[in-house]
Each structure stands twice: as structure tokens, then as C-alpha cells.
Amino acid sequence: LHDGNLMGRIGKQFGLHPLALEDVMNTGQRAKFEEYDDHLFITLKMLQFDEGTRQVKAEQLSLLFTEDFLISFQEQEGDLFDNVRQRLEQSRGQIRKRTCDYLAYALLDTVVDSYIYLIEFLGEKIDDLELKVLDNPAKEVVNEINAYKRELHFVMKVLKPVKELMAAILRSRSPFIHHREVLPYYKDLHGLVLHAYETVETYRNLLSDYFNFYHASLSTKMNDIMRVLTIFSAIFIPLSFFAGVYGTNFEYFPELQYRYSYFFFWGFILAVAIAMLVYFKRKKWL
């Protein structure tokens, strides 16, 4: 795509608008639909999940078509369109009997199906996080939540302009789109894009709920720890007071002369501790 001479020859051969070719070569392009006098232009992103990096990768796809031909431009070799090629080669379905607007629909439909497959794949991973959050809300779970939130945010950034692109196609009155025959297919495709967009939004909200639940779990654990520590402190404060008074070096301390004063002291200490525990239990603080 970055070979300017090659792209220039293609544009001259098929009469493509220079601005359309410029958009094709700019692979950071936002998804959009443009109408020119001699042809229509569509560009959007194809998405794929990279298992190695655990990230969603994007590749730009551009389509230029008229009544007679359709040209597709991709950044890399390999794509999602093997099924479309087989339908063309084997003359399955209506694809060989229709015009280029239907072929453009078939390619876009394949891309949107890949969106839905990717979202379902991420959704399964996100659903698995629920058990991890409930059973073991560790820091690694938070890292996974943040990673999936980042990937879903990227998917949503791709889907939002695609949604606008589909709406623009439905509003188009171009003679290169046969509205009576093909427009119902584009309407169905628009519905799929809306469904994919709403599903991503649902999973993003679910991840936010997981994140909030994680922090709530940490707060609950911290509260339990603080409650136990507070109870132990409440018990040992008076006991420390008694031990401090008992161990003070008074000259006259009659209890020290008793033979069993040591056992009386520990009995008194234990009685106070048990009484406080019973009181805390009745108050449902334990």
C-alpha cells in the first residue's frame, strides 16, 4: 500500500479518485464511507486476537467499487475471505449472480462476523474472570480485568465508526447500490454492528462491576481483619492495665503475700477476657 508508483498506476487504470487512493495508503484511517462520481469508497478495520501478545490486532481494509468492478486493498497477506472466494469459485448462492454492491456486502459481512466472533471469544474469557474474582480476588485478577478493559476499549473504538459507516451506506442514494435488491442485506448488517457494539458495552460494564467487586472484597477482608484486631486490643487493654498495676513495685501490696495470689490473678485475667468475649458475641461483633 505504500508503493506510490504502484498505487498511482492502479488509480489511473481504474479511474480512482486521488483522495480515495490517499485514504487507502493512510492505514491509520478511521472507518468511513465516501461517494465519488465514478465509484464508492469504504474503509474499515479487520480485527484479530493475537494469542502470543494477548492483544487485539487491527488491519485496514479498503474497498472501491462501481457497477462493474470491486478492488480491495489490505495491509498484509492473508485475510478472512476464503469463504467468499469459495462461493465465487464454486458459484454457491447469489454472489455470482449479483453486482459489485452485493460482493461488497459479502466482504463486509465477513468482517462483521469476525467482530462478533472476537467479542464472543473475549466474552468467554471475561465470564471466566467471575469465578476468579469470587474465589480468589488476587492482584493478578485485577491485571487481567484491566487488560480486557483495554482490549474492549480498542474494539469499541473500531466499532463506533463502523456503525456510522453502515448508517451512511443506508442513507446513500448512489446508483452503484441497488436499494431494492441489496439494501435489506445492508440493513441486516447494520443491525449486527449495533448488536456487536452493545455487546462490547455490556462486557465493559461487567468488567467495571468485577473491578468494583474486587475492591469491595478487599474492603470486606480489611474490615474483618480490623475487627479481629480491635477485639483483641479491647481485650488486652484492661488485662495490660491489671498486669501493670499488679507488677508495680509497691511497698505494701497485701495480695502479694497470699500463697495462691498468682493463680487468683490469672483466674481473674481469664474471667475478664472470657466475659468480654461473651459480651462481644452477644453484641454480634464476632
Side-chain angles (χ1 to χ4, degrees), residues 103-152:
L103 178 58
Y105 154 76
L107 297 175
L108 293 175
D109 181 57
T110 303
V111 174
V112 173
D113 284 344
S114 72
Y115 292 164
I116 294 175
Y117 173 80
L118 173 65
I119 294 168
E120 290 177 349
F121 174 79
L122 293 175
E124 292 176 0
K125 301 293 185 182
I126 291 169
D127 289 337
D128 292 339
L129 284 178
E130 182 177 5
L131 295 177
K132 294 182 180 179
V133 172
L134 294 174
D135 296 340
N136 183 27
K139 187 176 180 180
E140 291 76 13
V141 178
V142 177
N143 294 334
E144 287 190 63
I145 292 174
N146 288 329
Y148 285 121
K149 286 185 70 174
R150 183 176 60 251
E151 299 310 311
L152 287 180

Side-chain angles (χ1 to χ4, degrees), residues 220-235:
T220 301
K221 284 187 175 181
M222 184 61 67
N223 289 337
D224 291 340
I225 293 172
M226 293 303 297
R227 182 176 61 179
V228 172
L229 293 177
T230 302
I231 289 173
F232 274 101
S233 299
I235 293 174

Side-chain angles (χ1 to χ4, degrees), residues 104-260:
Y105 154 76
L107 297 175
L108 293 175
D109 181 57
T110 303
V111 174
V112 173
D113 284 344
S114 72
Y115 292 164
I116 294 175
Y117 173 80
L118 173 65
I119 294 168
E120 290 177 349
F121 174 79
L122 293 175
E124 292 176 0
K125 301 293 185 182
I126 291 169
D127 289 337
D128 292 339
L129 284 178
E130 182 177 5
L131 295 177
K132 294 182 180 179
V133 172
L134 294 174
D135 296 340
N136 183 27
K139 187 176 180 180
E140 291 76 13
V141 178
V142 177
N143 294 334
E144 287 190 63
I145 292 174
N146 288 329
Y148 285 121
K149 286 185 70 174
R150 183 176 60 251
E151 299 310 311
L152 287 180
H153 179 71
F154 178 74
V155 173
M156 179 164 283
K157 283 179 62 178
V158 171
L159 281 177
K160 187 174 182 179
V162 173
K163 183 176 63 170
E164 299 169 0
L165 178 155
M166 297 307 306
I169 293 176
L170 294 179
R171 292 192 303 267
S172 172
R173 292 296 177 263
S174 171
F176 301 128
I177 297 179
H178 298 80
H179 289 75
R180 181 177 297 180
E181 296 86 0
V182 178
L183 203 61
Y185 296 100
Y186 281 99
K187 287 182 179 178
D188 179 69
L189 198 57
H190 185 228
L192 290 176
V193 173
L194 290 177
H195 171 70
Y197 186 85
E198 292 169 357
T199 304
V200 172
E201 186 66 35
T202 299
Y203 281 124
R204 288 186 69 193
N205 293 333
L206 190 61
L207 286 174
S208 297
D209 292 341
Y210 289 166
F211 195 76
N212 294 334
F213 183 81
Y214 169 78
H215 285 288
S217 299
L218 287 185
S219 298
T220 301
K221 284 187 175 181
M222 184 61 67
N223 289 337
D224 291 340
I225 293 172
M226 293 303 297
R227 182 176 61 179
V228 172
L229 293 177
T230 302
I231 289 173
F232 274 101
S233 299
I235 293 174
F236 279 97
I237 286 174
L239 302 186
S240 300
F241 171 76
F242 297 142
V245 171
Y246 190 78
T248 305
N249 295 322
F250 288 109
E251 183 177 356
Y252 301 102
F253 212 125
E255 292 88 349
L256 296 176
Q257 306 300 323
Y258 297 155
R259 181 177 181 181
Y260 299 104

Side-chain angles (χ1 to χ4, degrees), residues 3-195:
D3 187 338
N5 293 328
L6 173 62
M7 296 298 293
R9 292 199 301 271
I10 292 174
K12 184 177 180 180
Q13 176 71 28
F14 292 95
L16 303 179
H17 198 283
L19 290 178
L21 289 177
E22 184 178 333
D23 288 337
V24 169
M25 297 174 68
N26 179 14
T27 55
Q29 194 67 239
R30 189 176 187 267
K32 65 179 181 178
F33 170 71
E34 295 284 353
E35 298 184 51
Y36 296 99
D37 294 336
D38 300 329
H39 56 83
L40 299 180
F41 172 70
I42 297 173
T43 185
L44 73 165
K45 300 291 185 184
M46 296 187 291
L47 298 179
Q48 189 175 9
F49 188 77
D50 190 331
E51 289 285 355
T53 60
R54 308 294 295 173
Q55 292 180 338
V56 178
K57 300 295 185 181
E59 178 188 353
Q60 180 165 298
L61 169 70
S62 299
L63 306 176
L64 295 103
F65 66 94
T66 66
E67 187 75 25
D68 302 319
F69 64 82
L70 180 148
I71 308 175
S72 62
F73 296 92
Q74 300 168 214
E75 293 184 59
Q76 303 170 3
E77 294 184 7
D79 52 39
L80 312 166
F81 304 128
D82 288 341
N83 182 53
V84 177
R85 294 189 184 92
Q86 290 176 5
R87 289 165 60 190
L88 286 168
E89 292 168 356
Q90 300 172 11
S91 190
R92 289 191 284 114
Q94 307 178 57
I95 197 165
R96 290 284 291 270
K97 303 174 184 177
R98 298 277 188 170
T99 49
C100 290
D101 51 354
Y102 186 84
L103 178 58
Y105 154 76
L107 297 175
L108 293 175
D109 181 57
T110 303
V111 174
V112 173
D113 284 344
S114 72
Y115 292 164
I116 294 175
Y117 173 80
L118 173 65
I119 294 168
E120 290 177 349
F121 174 79
L122 293 175
E124 292 176 0
K125 301 293 185 182
I126 291 169
D127 289 337
D128 292 339
L129 284 178
E130 182 177 5
L131 295 177
K132 294 182 180 179
V133 172
L134 294 174
D135 296 340
N136 183 27
K139 187 176 180 180
E140 291 76 13
V141 178
V142 177
N143 294 334
E144 287 190 63
I145 292 174
N146 288 329
Y148 285 121
K149 286 185 70 174
R150 183 176 60 251
E151 299 310 311
L152 287 180
H153 179 71
F154 178 74
V155 173
M156 179 164 283
K157 283 179 62 178
V158 171
L159 281 177
K160 187 174 182 179
V162 173
K163 183 176 63 170
E164 299 169 0
L165 178 155
M166 297 307 306
I169 293 176
L170 294 179
R171 292 192 303 267
S172 172
R173 292 296 177 263
S174 171
F176 301 128
I177 297 179
H178 298 80
H179 289 75
R180 181 177 297 180
E181 296 86 0
V182 178
L183 203 61
Y185 296 100
Y186 281 99
K187 287 182 179 178
D188 179 69
L189 198 57
H190 185 228
L192 290 176
V193 173
L194 290 177
H195 171 70

